[in-house]
Amino acid sequence: MCQHQPPCPSADSADREAAHLVAHHPEQGWSLLCNGVLLFEDTGELLPDGQVVAPRRPPAAGRVTTAA
């Protein structure tokens, strides 16, 4: 899929998120990378083979919980 030189990381490599953007839709919360990975704003991913990578975003900082 990638036509860049040097080629972008493949969808199954650890650094797959370093691939070039093909489409970016921040209003919808997703981007398509040239290796076929759909990258979501919550850091979740959908790989070209249909595998889902769960979001890795840490819990919101500064969130305060109160006891009832």
Side-chain angles (χ1 to χ4, degrees):
M1 210 174 176
C2 179
Q3 301 299 316
H4 303 102
Q5 290 300 325
C8 290
S10 67
D12 59 352
S13 68
D15 59 344
R16 64 181 155 256
E17 295 173 9
H20 288 256
L21 285 174
V22 173
H24 182 60
H25 294 277
E27 73 283 358
Q28 296 176 358
W30 62 271
S31 298
L32 175 63
L33 304 179
C34 71
N35 56 8
V37 173
L38 275 173
L39 180 61
F40 298 97
E41 70 178 16
D42 69 355
T43 69
E45 300 172 8
L46 180 60
L47 304 183
D49 65 1
Q51 182 180 355
V52 174
V53 178
R56 295 176 305 281
R57 180 179 286 175
R63 179 176 275 174
V64 177
T65 57
T66 58

